[in-house]
Amino acid sequence: MSLIPPHPLDTVAAFGDKLRLSSIRARLFDRFLYEGVYEGQRVLVHEFAPQGLIRRTKGGSIVAAEARFDAAYARVAEAFQTVMKSVHPNLLGVIVAKGNWVVTQAPGKRLVDATGDSSRDLAMALKAVVDAGLVLGTICPDTVFWQHGKIVFAGRAPDYRDLIDIVASSDVAGPAGYAAPEVYDAMKRAAIGHEADMFAASALMFRLFAGRDPADIRTQDLAADVGAAPDAVRTGLTLSRKARAESLGAWFDGFKPVAPARPVVAAPAKPDVAPLAAPTGLRRIPVMVIILVAVVAIPLAITALTVGLDSWKQAATERRTREAREAVEDCRTAVGRAASDAQPLCAKALNKIPDTLSPDYSWVAYTLGVLCEKKDACGGKTALDYYRLAVSDRTTAQGKVANYKVAKLDTGLSLSQRHDHYAPAAGVLKKPDGAFIRANRSVYGDANYQIGQIFDTWSQQDSFNAEEAQRLSPGSTRAPQKIALISAINRFEVAKTYGFDTDSRLMDLYLRRGDGDTEAAQYDSAATAYRRAGALGSADASFRAAELFFAGRTTLIKQDEALKLVNSASEGGNTDAELCLAAMHYFGYPYDIDLIGGMASFAALTVRGVDHARLDGLACRDWIRQGQNQRQN
């Protein structure tokens, strides 16, 4: 368990005096549970606190444990708030949510504290949740309660598997003893579905049966531990996700009460009915009468038809508008419930919306992009296709977010074999919407980081062609790889300002840019790049910047800065810089002559295997000679 202490049993700053914590109920893998009082009402309080990812400040707040965790913490905190707001009769109702706090209705007694076998009730409650398309991810003794004669669950949890490698522990992914094997799979080879909740519910049934928690599958033999349990429990605790998924329906059916047989009632016999006799004695209508009626009736019929057609068109338009509105509402409801049919319902809604520039169209298209982002294709389209449709209305929040999703996916993250969409992606990021960025820092930072990675890769590939480079930097005479390199630097610099750790990537990129500019005799540009790499911690880059000064290649660096760069490089372990410093002291330029100190430095380098002859190939040696001559003259 995490060593992070719980929040003090007092008021919570985010809610002022409205919320007061009265006791700690449980510490779960991703949250603390407290009993409390909100505006005079007893409540259950969830404080989002994933193990290993966070720390508590002196003021009692929860923050990321390290700066490198900031983006991951922000991402899962947002996901936690989203899933906790799900509405279902078997979920505790949410009263208020803010930051990493969610306040729900107060539950009754825990299921494990009640008397009698409640396995059937538990299965039927879970069946209702599964039928609504929801995956809980939180089932354990501290999250399942009786309330008003039915079983309720204390909220949901998102997929935390991305955090396993970040915090180097699977404890953050799910409750020990109650989490299915796929919940601990950091490679995410399969989605976490209803069969994972089936496993957790079966583990809880084992607790009801045996009076203890089942074995932790990560360290113990579960099959041996539950061998004496009822068949349904052992079926639900099967380690194979595929086997659980295939038996899910039968597993639920095994808990349903058997309905009594209904008697078969014979249908009553139909009475014999005699057919109606055909009428006889019809009189023939004169031709002139027919003509007169036609002359009068046809214009009237045309007028009526025109009016009727207009009315029909109006009615059809109103019907289409109503159907579109209903389809959008169905999509919103399905997404809110995280229903399994959300994607086809939203695709249907998108097809029914007549105005492709409307906010509804943008929202539905963006939502489909989110639903499809982790799939190669979704209803014949990719996530990228849907995000591009959503961008058509950039006045909406969804349209703006889609803009950045396009920026991220256009680079090839979803189209890994294509290189023809990075230019539009970079264009999106060059013209940011300030208000959007302030509200979605992690989205914008992540998009820049991901695009930076792609550009970095392309800058080292011979296949990166000039035509595509020109799309990125029109009119540039630089080599395509150089354009990609500069673009990578720009994107990583932006990501760095939004909290992403890009120092090592930037250091390598600036060093490569400096080397390339030196080969192209663009020495001022090289000096600038080397300086930046040196500031990020590269001793080699610091020395190369100083060497450009010693060789007289740049005027951007003055003598004082060059000497600081040499000292910094020497302290960073660059042996060429150490040779130069030893020579400066031994030969007495620009420092006062120090034969003993200089000889001692050379001797120490010799012991370490450094060849003094290397000094003759360095620009600093010629610079020292020139300085000596000037002093003598």
Side-chain angles (χ1 to χ4, degrees):
M1 279 294 181
S2 172
L3 299 178
I4 298 297
H7 190 282
L9 297 179
D10 200 345
T11 56
V12 177
F15 298 92
D17 295 331
K18 293 182 179 181
L19 176 63
R20 178 177 293 275
L21 307 180
S22 53
S23 65
I24 300 172
R25 185 142 195 170
R27 172 51 163 133
L28 305 183
F29 66 102
D30 69 338
R31 71 194 74 184
F32 284 102
L33 290 180
Y34 306 89
E35 291 183 350
V37 177
Y38 180 77
E39 294 185 337
Q41 175 186 356
R42 285 184 58 251
V43 292
L44 182 68
V45 184
H46 306 242
E47 182 187 25
F48 180 63
Q51 294 191 49
L53 191 71
I54 50 89
R55 63 181 176 86
R56 194 176 295 282
T57 66
K58 292 182 180 180
S61 300
I62 290 289
V63 297
E66 302 178 27
R68 63 190 180 96
F69 294 167
D70 285 347
Y73 174 69
R75 184 172 63 252
V76 294
E78 181 180 359
F80 173 79
Q81 282 283 0
T82 299
V83 298
M84 282 297 294
K85 291 176 182 177
S86 302
V87 178
H88 189 274
N90 292 96
L91 289 176
L92 290 175
V94 174
I95 298 172
V96 64
K98 186 180 296 185
N100 60 327
W101 295 92
V102 176
V103 180
T104 65
Q105 299 167 332
K109 183 181 295 186
R110 292 194 312 171
L111 181 65
V112 295
D113 296 330
T115 57
D117 183 8
S118 303
S119 296
R120 173 172 292 173
D121 299 289
L122 173 59
M124 291 300 97
L126 179 59
K127 178 67 163 57
V129 173
V130 168
D131 288 345
L134 301 179
V135 176
L136 295 173
T138 55
I139 297 177
C140 68
D142 292 306
T143 61
V144 185
F145 307 93
W146 280 107
Q147 185 185 52
H148 306 313
K150 68 178 180 181
I151 287 179
V152 294
F153 303 97
R156 302 173 60 207
D159 186 343
Y160 293 118
R161 292 179 293 180
D162 288 338
L163 301 180
I164 294 176
D165 289 337
I166 295 175
V167 302
S169 172
S170 59
D171 289 343
V172 71
Y178 295 85
E182 59 266 27
V183 173
Y184 295 129
D185 181 14
M187 295 179 66
K188 301 175 73 171
R189 283 166 289 199
I192 296 176
H194 302 307
E195 61 273 10
D197 283 342
M198 170 188 175
F199 182 98
S202 299
L204 189 55
M205 291 176 187
F206 178 82
R207 167 71 179 265
L208 297 174
F209 167 77
R212 62 177 176 83
D213 294 329
D216 186 337
I217 59 173
R218 296 171 294 177
T219 58
Q220 298 168 288
D221 185 347
L222 179 64
D225 188 48
V226 302
D231 290 345
V233 172
R234 286 187 283 108
T235 298
L237 290 176
T238 300
L239 295 181
S240 167
R241 184 197 65 81
K242 183 178 179 182
R244 274 182 278 118
E246 291 174 347
S247 63
L248 183 64
W251 186 80
F252 279 125
D253 290 341
F255 289 98
K256 291 181 179 179
V258 179
R262 299 180 63 180
V264 178
V265 180
K270 295 183 179 179
D272 294 330
V273 179
L276 295 175
T280 61
L282 292 177
R283 298 179 62 186
R284 181 176 298 176
I285 301 174
V287 175
M288 290 303 296
V289 173
I290 295 175
I291 294 173
L292 288 173
V293 170
V295 170
V296 175
I298 288 175
L300 293 175
I302 292 173
T303 302
L305 181 61
T306 302
V307 173
L309 184 60
D310 291 341
S311 300
W312 179 83
K313 288 180 178 179
Q314 182 178 354
T317 300
E318 292 175 352
R319 186 185 70 255
R320 286 195 298 269
T321 301
R322 183 179 66 256
E323 289 176 349
R325 186 166 57 248
E326 291 172 352
V328 171
E329 189 58 36
D330 289 343
C331 168
R332 291 183 187 275
T333 302
V335 170
R337 293 189 293 106
S340 58
D341 60 348
Q343 190 276 329
L345 285 175
C346 291
K348 176 183 176 183
L350 192 70
N351 290 330
K352 284 186 173 293
I353 299 173
D355 182 4
T356 59
L357 298 180
S358 70
D360 276 346
Y361 190 87
S362 175
W363 182 88
V364 174
Y366 171 73
T367 300
L368 283 165
V370 173
L371 293 172
C372 301
E373 188 162 349
K374 293 185 178 180
K375 303 177 182 179
D376 293 333
C378 203
K381 287 185 171 66
T382 65
L384 180 57
D385 294 328
Y386 285 121
Y387 287 135
R388 283 178 173 152
L389 294 176
V391 173
S392 63
D393 180 20
R394 300 186 186 185
T395 62
T396 68
Q398 290 77 26
K400 292 175 183 177
V401 175
N403 216 344
Y404 291 89
K405 291 286 188 178
V406 169
K408 180 177 176 180
L409 295 180
D410 256 346
T411 62
L413 298 180
S414 65
L415 305 172
S416 57
Q417 302 304 316
R418 297 179 60 186
H419 289 186
D420 60 344
H421 288 299
Y422 65 86
V428 169
L429 296 178
K430 284 180 179 178
K431 301 175 182 178
D433 181 292
F436 170 81
I437 293 174
R438 285 191 292 274
N440 299 272
R441 292 174 60 86
S442 62
V443 174
Y444 183 66
D446 181 56
N448 277 278
Y449 185 86
Q450 299 289 353
I451 291 177
Q453 288 183 304
I454 298 298
F455 285 148
D456 186 6
T457 300
W458 290 346
S459 71
Q460 302 176 65
Q461 292 180 351
D462 294 336
S463 60
F464 189 73
N465 65 68
E467 181 181 351
E468 299 303 331
Q470 281 296 307
R471 291 177 59 197
L472 181 63
S473 184
S476 176
T477 58
R478 296 188 177 102
Q481 287 77 11
K482 182 67 170 292
I483 293 175
L485 177 66
I486 294 172
S487 298
I489 289 173
N490 293 338
R491 299 281 67 81
F492 280 128
E493 285 284 14
V494 174
K496 178 179 173 65
T497 65
Y498 287 91
F500 285 76
D501 183 7
T502 61
D503 284 357
S504 61
R505 302 292 293 263
L506 282 169
M507 184 171 65
D508 174 65
L509 289 166
Y510 277 115
L511 193 58
R512 283 165 46 201
R513 179 173 182 182
D515 290 345
D517 287 340
T518 300
E519 291 178 7
Q522 297 172 345
Y523 299 115
D524 284 349
S525 177
T528 301
Y530 284 144
R531 276 169 158 173
R532 183 72 177 115
L536 290 167
S538 172
D540 292 345
S542 293
F543 182 69
R544 291 177 199 182
E547 279 282 88
L548 289 176
F549 165 78
F550 295 139
R553 301 291 192 184
T554 180
T555 58
L556 295 180
I557 298 174
K558 307 303 180 185
Q559 178 173 309
D560 287 348
E561 183 185 356
L563 296 177
K564 289 179 181 178
L565 289 168
V566 172
N567 277 280
S568 175
S570 175
E571 292 172 359
N574 183 283
T575 53
D576 287 342
E578 293 180 67
L579 280 171
C580 285
L581 282 177
M584 289 176 187
H585 289 289
Y586 182 81
F587 293 108
Y589 187 83
Y591 304 114
D592 293 334
I593 192 167
D594 181 5
L595 293 175
I596 296 176
M599 291 176 64
S601 296
F602 280 127
L605 289 167
T606 301
V607 170
R608 288 163 48 197
V610 178
D611 185 0
H612 296 184
R614 286 171 52 184
L615 183 62
D616 291 332
L618 299 177
C620 69
R621 181 65 184 101
D622 292 335
W623 181 76
I624 292 171
R625 287 195 182 100
Q626 293 173 6
Q628 285 179 301
N629 293 335
Q630 290 175 0
R631 278 189 175 180
Q632 292 173 0
N633 295 333

